[in-house]
Amino acid sequence: MADERAFYVLAYDLSDDRRRAKIARLMESLGERVQGSVFEAWLTPAELNRLAAKAKKVMNEREDSLRIYPLCAACRGKIRVEGEGKPLPPPDVVIV
C-alpha cells in the first residue's frame, strides 16, 4: 500500500543553533524525540519525502547531516532500551 507507514529512526547533526532549532521543530511535528537529536517516527513515503525536502532547505550540506534509518518489523522487535523509555508504538488504526 502506497500510504502505509514505516518506522524510522532520524538523527541529525547541525552546526548552527538556528538551523538545529528549525530541524528540531520539523522532527517534533512528525515524530517523537528519544534523545537530543534522535527521533523515532512512523511515516508514509510521502511524509518522509516532504520531511527530507524541508530538511534539505534548512541544512547546509557541507556542514550538517540528517540520517534516516528505516527499521523493519523484525528489527523493531529487537530494539533494546536500557533505562527509561520505550520505542515509539505503531500509530493507532483509524477507520473512517
Side-chain angles (χ1 to χ4, degrees), residues 44-88:
T44 65
E47 289 169 332
L48 180 62
N49 289 336
R50 279 194 302 272
L51 177 133
K54 287 179 180 180
K56 284 181 86 172
K57 289 179 180 178
V58 173
M59 295 170 47
N60 177 332
E61 291 188 11
R62 292 184 179 176
E63 298 177 6
D64 305 330
S65 69
L66 169 62
R67 294 176 182 258
I68 302 168
Y69 300 100
L71 291 182
C72 69
C75 292
R76 282 193 318 276
K78 296 176 184 177
I79 293 173
R80 185 172 154 181
V81 178
E82 302 295 338
E84 190 170 328
K86 296 178 186 173
L88 185 64

